[in-house]
Amino acid sequence: DTGVSQDPRHKITKRGQNVTFRCDPISEHNRLYWYRQTLGQGPEFLTYFQNEAQLEKSRLLSDRFSAERPKGSFSTLEIQRTEQGDSAMYLCASSFREPTDTQYFGPGTRLTVL
Amino acid sequence: DQQVKQNSPSLSVQEGRISILNCDYTNSMFDYFLWYKKYPAEGPTFLISISSIKDKNEDGRFTVFLNKSAKHLSLHIVPSQPGDSAVYFCAAKRGQGAQKLVFGQGTRLTINP
């Protein structure tokens, strides 16, 4: 078990560019989550997948954001036309349906929009 | 609307003593609570959880207490060790099998030798 992995770990982009992040969950986990964390705050929920189905999206996820999990394994989070306010740590977590459904987090992708 | 609050941004404790981190919540529908620990440049690591049917859960040096009437939980670490220095987040959700976690702002714990 190698844990949740995310790629890239850091991304610097110019305002208006598109960026895509990848998350690979723990292999047997069927649930996958994206969160965003800004400085001095706790992680905020963005969206959640069970297998390949996107079951919940936060109102924080504007129409510039899209997430996919095409085969129920890895997931991608794309941000189009990035804005400086998108600068944050993007965290991915996964879980396996169990009594407690504990979420295990990856190391995150730090996005800086110049 | 901050539904989960950690009112102490930082806490400093001497090595070997007890560390107590506090968390308050406002949503009475929350019934499952978790603590995560975060080191710089890493994602949050799960520490311990508690269901609302309990008022205490222990795991080694870590104990979580839940006071439902006060909508308050606390994490006790005893004895505190230098490796415990990190940011601690409490999180809450509705139901053990529910999906979305709502996090507090975090408390930075520093253990002094």
Side-chain angles (χ1 to χ4, degrees):
Chain A
D1 179 3
T2 58
V4 178
S5 62
Q6 293 187 245
D7 184 70
R9 294 290 305 273
H10 303 275
K11 178 71 177 178
I12 299 173
T13 191
K14 293 183 178 178
R15 189 175 53 190
Q17 298 294 304
N18 299 344
V19 294
T20 301
F21 310 141
R22 176 180 170 124
C23 171
D24 288 88
I26 294 170
S27 58
E28 67 269 22
H29 285 187
N30 62 342
R31 293 177 168 180
L32 187 147
Y33 314 78
W34 286 98
Y35 290 81
R36 182 175 70 183
Q37 184 179 15
T38 54
L39 198 61
Q41 301 297 317
E44 295 176 287
F45 172 80
L46 291 178
T47 190
Y48 147 70
F49 291 85
Q50 179 158 309
N51 300 313
E52 64 274 11
Q54 188 173 18
L55 297 185
E56 186 174 352
K57 293 199 299 186
S58 164
R59 65 179 184 274
L60 292 175
L61 215 65
S62 76
D63 55 8
R64 296 185 297 105
F65 288 70
S66 62
E68 293 183 344
R69 195 182 182 198
K71 297 183 179 179
S73 57
F74 74 92
S75 175
T76 58
L77 177 68
E78 181 184 16
I79 309 174
Q80 296 183 329
R81 305 181 304 280
T82 52
E83 302 173 356
Q84 288 185 326
D86 297 331
S87 295
M89 175 74 81
Y90 290 84
L91 293 161
C92 175
S94 69
S95 69
F96 180 72
R97 189 183 175 96
E98 48 164 306
T100 58
D101 199 31
T102 301
Q103 295 180 28
Y104 296 90
F105 284 81
T109 295
R110 179 164 295 284
L111 173 66
T112 302
V113 181
L114 302 177
Chain B
D1 178 22
Q2 191 73 32
Q3 298 184 69
V4 178
K5 298 179 184 180
Q6 295 175 255
N7 292 318
S8 298
S10 62
L11 176 67
S12 185
V13 174
Q14 195 170 0
E15 182 180 357
R17 307 293 288 268
I18 184 170
S19 295
I20 300 176
L21 297 102
N22 294 305
C23 179
D24 297 294
Y25 61 96
T26 57
N27 190 336
S28 58
M29 299 297 289
F30 289 145
D31 59 5
Y32 197 76
F33 305 89
L34 307 90
W35 284 93
Y36 285 84
K37 169 181 174 180
K38 188 179 184 304
Y39 292 120
E42 295 184 12
T45 302
F46 170 71
L47 270 180
I48 192 168
S49 60
I50 187 166
S51 163
S52 59
I53 63 173
K54 295 185 174 182
D55 55 16
K56 177 182 173 182
N57 189 26
E58 273 183 275
D59 184 1
R61 297 186 298 112
F62 301 91
T63 303
V64 57
F65 295 92
L66 175 62
N67 182 333
K68 283 194 301 181
S69 61
K71 295 191 180 68
H72 176 83
L73 62 156
S74 61
L75 175 68
H76 293 210
I77 307 172
V78 55
S80 300
Q81 300 174 353
D84 296 329
S85 295
V87 178
Y88 289 78
F89 293 97
C90 69
K93 62 179 179 176
R94 297 169 57 171
Q96 289 188 8
Q99 297 81 44
K100 180 174 74 175
L101 290 176
V102 179
F103 284 84
Q105 309 96 307
T107 296
R108 180 177 301 279
L109 175 66
T110 302
I111 305 301
N112 301 308

